[in-house]
Amino acid sequence: MTKLVKGVGINDAGYKVSLYEQIDGKKTLVWRCPYYSRWLRMLERCYYEKVHERQPTYTGCSVCEEWLTFSNFKRWMQSQDWEGKQLDKDLLVIGNKEYGPDACVFVTSVVNSFTSDSGNNRGDYPIGVTLERGKFKAQCRNPFTNKTENLGRFDCPDQAHLAWKIRKHELACQLADSEYVTDERVAQALRTRYL
């Protein structure tokens, strides 16, 4: 029996998915099948403890039964607009923890970064809110300028979060209509995510 990939996956590729060469006396990866690479990283995010230590938001994530077999994932990926994009599991279905064909989509790094909630390092206040000199400051990163916009200071965190949410929705709608989004499912998700 073939060894399972990351303890759960079945590599049924029928071809070499990785090529190694001896470089300066070391075995070095020189090429990896792009489909296999995405599949492997997905499995690592869900089933590799070292990833969970660095990124606890992946704890509790899983891969649907169908995608535990490489050829099934590859077939799905080939039908997607994936080149130069990242696999996302929770844009179409907020809070989703299972990678599968109904919830996953490929997005640009700009979209992926924009929709990340930074849950690992956000702190005690709602997203977009920090406490500064006794006031709650609202901030939002603009995906077009890549700069953080200061939205004002408020007496309570809920007011600051509302200011963040309004600006985030405006930017999400602009992003949905931009060159960074080519999939209508992604555009629709962006338009409704921060309402």
Side-chain angles (χ1 to χ4, degrees):
M1 180 166 169
T2 311
K3 182 179 174 188
L4 292 174
V5 179
K6 300 301 171 192
V8 294
I10 300 168
N11 177 8
D12 61 344
Y15 61 91
K16 286 190 175 229
V17 292
S18 302
L19 296 177
Y20 294 87
E21 290 181 5
Q22 288 289 339
I23 300 175
D24 296 329
K26 294 181 181 177
K27 185 177 176 181
T28 305
L29 177 68
V30 294
W31 176 84
R32 179 166 279 153
C33 168
Y35 305 108
Y36 185 81
S37 179
R38 301 292 173 76
W39 182 70
L40 181 64
R41 283 185 292 198
M42 175 182 66
L43 294 178
E44 287 174 345
R45 286 191 294 269
C46 294
Y47 303 108
Y48 194 49
E49 287 301 318
K50 289 189 178 183
V51 170
H52 297 169
E53 290 169 14
R54 288 188 318 268
Q55 298 173 294
T57 55
Y58 287 113
T59 302
C61 289
S62 62
V63 175
C64 73
E65 187 72 28
E66 176 187 354
W67 279 10
L68 291 177
T69 301
F70 170 64
S71 61
N72 293 334
F73 176 79
K74 180 182 177 184
R75 190 175 312 107
W76 174 83
M77 186 172 160
Q78 287 173 318
S79 72
Q80 305 298 306
D81 176 17
W82 63 270
E83 290 191 60
K85 296 182 179 178
Q86 301 168 348
L87 181 63
D88 184 278
K89 68 171 173 21
D90 54 10
L91 177 64
L92 300 182
V93 180
I94 296 172
N96 180 53
K97 292 281 205 175
E98 182 181 70
Y99 285 87
D102 295 330
C104 288
V105 67
F106 282 95
V107 297
T108 62
S109 60
V110 171
V111 171
N112 204 15
S113 178
F114 180 76
T115 57
S116 173
D117 74 358
S118 303
N120 289 339
N121 56 9
R122 190 167 66 233
D124 296 332
Y125 299 109
I127 189 167
V129 179
T130 58
L131 182 62
E132 187 176 272
R133 294 179 293 202
K135 290 281 191 175
F136 295 95
K137 183 166 85 171
Q139 295 179 307
C140 187
R141 190 186 61 78
N142 186 315
F144 302 103
T145 64
N146 208 24
K147 294 185 179 176
T148 300
E149 298 178 357
N150 290 313
L151 307 174
R153 296 176 188 276
F154 301 87
D155 292 326
C156 75
D158 291 340
Q159 291 172 332
H161 178 67
L162 181 59
W164 168 85
K165 191 174 177 181
I166 290 168
R167 181 61 179 149
K168 192 78 169 182
H169 176 69
E170 291 169 354
L171 291 169
C173 290
Q174 291 173 25
L175 191 56
D177 295 329
S178 75
E179 74 271 12
Y180 297 110
V181 177
T182 57
D183 186 319
E184 185 52 40
R185 296 171 302 164
V186 173
Q188 185 58 30
L190 285 168
R191 289 185 192 107
T192 59
R193 186 173 183 100
Y194 302 101
L195 291 176

